[in-house]
Amino acid sequence: MPTKREYRDDYPDKTLYIPGPTEVREDVIEAMCEPMFGHRMDRMTDLYTTVVEDTKEFLGTDNEVIILTGSGTEFMESSILNLVDENVLCTTCGSFSERQAHVAERLGKSVDTLEYEWGQAVKPEDVREALEESDTEYDVVTCVMNESSTGVRNPVEEIGDVVADYPDTYFVVDAVSALGGDYVDIDEHDIDVIFTSVQKAFAMPPGLAVCVVSDDAYERELESESASWYGGFQRTIDYYDRKGQTHSTPAIPIMLAYRKQMKHMLEEGHDVRDQRHREMAEYTREWANEHFAMFPEEGYESQTVACIENTQGIDVAETIAAVDEEYGMVFSNGYGSQLGEETFRIGHMGEHDLESIRELTDAIEDVAGL
């Protein structure tokens, strides 16, 4: 049982290069300081319809958008409850894709997994083979777009094209650490559900989850005997259509921050934002290969999180602590006991740019004596 550790008022500011939360603009933080108002007032309708429609515009989708108070895990759970009657195929290649399988099992679904070693990417042809050769009729196939535990970017576009050939099977994508920093054409590739958390590549304070839902997925839930109450597609989308609001009380200050940040994202443009993230990823990859090695399978490296193999045997924990102490910059160790000291991770997403990423890699070089 932990003892109370009193929160103080004198913590030093740190620059975050972790896989989330990420750096937040000052004016986005300030946007949370407006006077409070009621979540059933017209002002709330103005706010919520603005953030929903701006999100549709930014993502370039005609599908429905749901924004709820919570983490992306809310939609990891509710997408299974809403779409899976019995059988789900979960593609797994790291911690977060394995978590989706565990969530589905916990919800009482029959789960098959298409498993890959950590660091390997899901292959579309394997998904097709699994769907063709299985005697099971799967309600859903799941995939993590950006497996931040291993730095793998799975080809969800091509996988979506495969699943589209099976009209009774729906495709659910966890894009928690990618959406907003790695462009994906949701509608073109028949992604039925794709969800994220705003504290990652959207570069907002934590507290909101975003989900894009196809018409087919909405209709599928209507046919189900049960669905998620809080994250139900029918309940959230129908309430928005009638009222222009959320069905339950939202975190209004964070939605105010969302409005401000989404205006910045629209001003930058999705293509330009994607290119900025691509440039950061390419630089980090080149730096890693010069001094260490990339952990992910070649050709499937993430555009938002670099997972770097510790080929030099540096003390990862000690290096992270020293960079924090000397430079006020925080990056991440490998994920969990499996990759803790074998890898380290750099989050190059959100409001970072090439200059700020170079500042971190220069600091790592200095501290580690590279």
Side-chain angles (χ1 to χ4, degrees):
M1 192 74 176
T3 57
K4 178 182 178 181
R5 293 176 46 171
E6 188 70 32
Y7 189 84
R8 310 190 313 270
D9 297 319
D10 60 346
Y11 296 96
D13 292 336
K14 306 290 183 180
T15 303
L16 302 178
Y17 297 87
I18 56 179
T22 56
E23 291 292 296
V24 180
R25 291 172 181 258
E26 190 64 32
D27 65 342
V28 174
I29 294 174
E30 291 172 353
M32 294 191 290
C33 298
E34 291 189 20
M36 191 50 53
F37 52 90
H39 69 290
R40 293 293 176 243
M41 295 170 63
D42 288 345
R43 184 173 174 179
M44 187 66 224
T45 306
D46 294 345
L47 175 58
Y48 191 61
T49 57
T50 295
V51 297
V52 168
E53 299 305 321
D54 281 357
T55 303
K56 289 182 183 179
E57 180 182 349
F58 175 78
L59 295 176
T61 183
D62 292 325
N63 291 345
E64 300 289 348
V65 165
I66 306 166
I67 304 171
L68 292 179
T69 301
S71 72
T73 308
E74 162 57 32
F75 289 114
M76 179 185 288
E77 181 177 66
S78 63
S79 61
I80 298 298
L81 286 170
N82 297 342
L83 299 179
V84 179
D85 285 340
E86 184 176 1
N87 301 307
V88 56
L89 176 64
C90 295
T91 60
T92 64
C93 61
S95 179
F96 294 97
S97 48
E98 289 178 1
R99 180 179 297 179
Q100 177 72 91
H102 295 154
V103 166
E105 289 173 349
R106 180 65 176 164
L107 294 172
K109 307 304 180 182
S110 177
V111 179
D112 288 340
T113 55
L114 179 59
E115 299 179 18
Y116 295 82
E117 290 185 12
W118 283 33
Q120 298 296 302
V122 179
K123 307 303 188 299
E125 58 271 22
D126 294 342
V127 175
R128 183 177 296 280
E129 182 179 352
L131 291 174
E132 284 182 352
E133 295 188 358
S134 177
D135 294 331
T136 302
E137 294 184 4
Y138 294 109
D139 299 313
V140 161
V141 172
T142 70
C143 187
V144 172
M145 178 174 169
N146 193 79
E147 180 53 81
S148 57
S149 65
T150 63
V152 165
R153 202 289 198 180
N154 285 311
V156 294
E157 295 89 346
E158 291 86 350
I159 298 169
D161 294 342
V162 168
V163 179
D165 290 338
Y166 300 83
D168 294 328
T169 302
Y170 297 80
F171 188 37
V172 173
V173 175
D174 171 346
V176 164
S177 58
L179 208 62
D182 186 345
Y183 177 79
V184 56
D185 193 326
I186 298 167
D187 301 12
E188 177 67 22
H189 296 286
D190 294 293
I191 298 173
D192 291 294
V193 175
I194 185 168
F195 57 86
T196 191
S197 295
V198 298
Q199 77 273 14
K200 305 281 187 172
F202 276 35
M204 299 181 198
L208 298 177
V210 180
C211 188
V212 183
V213 181
S214 72
D215 290 341
D216 287 344
Y218 173 87
E219 294 295 332
R220 165 67 175 178
E221 189 202 292
L222 295 185
E223 299 170 0
S224 299
E225 295 182 0
S226 63
S228 170
W229 193 89
Y230 186 73
F233 300 152
Q234 179 185 12
R235 189 161 187 269
T236 52
I237 292 168
D238 287 2
Y239 200 93
Y240 178 72
D241 288 344
R242 293 195 312 272
K243 302 285 190 178
Q245 298 177 350
T246 57
H247 59 66
S248 299
T249 309
I252 294 173
I254 302 174
M255 284 201 175
L256 289 166
Y258 190 115
R259 170 188 167 272
K260 174 67 73 172
Q261 176 62 0
M262 185 51 67
K263 296 299 186 186
H264 287 307
M265 291 166 69
L266 285 169
E267 183 178 0
E268 181 178 24
H270 204 164
D271 290 341
V272 174
R273 194 174 181 86
D274 176 79
Q275 181 60 31
R276 175 166 58 82
H277 281 75
R278 189 180 306 276
E279 290 170 356
M280 289 190 289
E282 289 173 352
Y283 165 76
T284 309
R285 198 174 304 142
E286 290 171 3
W287 176 84
N289 285 325
E290 177 183 353
H291 297 287
F292 300 94
M294 292 296 292
F295 182 75
E297 179 180 358
E298 186 175 359
Y300 296 93
E301 298 92 347
S302 164
Q303 192 163 293
T304 55
V305 180
C307 185
I308 298 167
E309 189 173 357
N310 183 16
T311 55
Q312 298 226 31
I314 65 171
D315 187 316
V316 170
E318 185 177 288
T319 302
I320 290 171
V323 170
D324 180 354
E325 178 68 25
E326 296 178 30
Y327 291 93
M329 302 174 181
V330 183
F331 65 105
S332 182
N333 59 355
Y335 193 85
S337 59
Q338 186 167 337
L339 298 178
E341 281 286 324
E342 295 180 17
T343 64
F344 60 92
R345 295 175 297 158
I346 296 173
H348 37 75
M349 67 172 86
E351 295 308 304
H352 280 299
D353 56 23
L354 275 177
E355 181 180 353
S356 66
I357 297 301
R358 285 196 183 101
E359 290 174 356
L360 174 66
T361 55
D362 287 348
I364 296 172
E365 287 182 31
D366 179 41
V367 166
L370 301 178

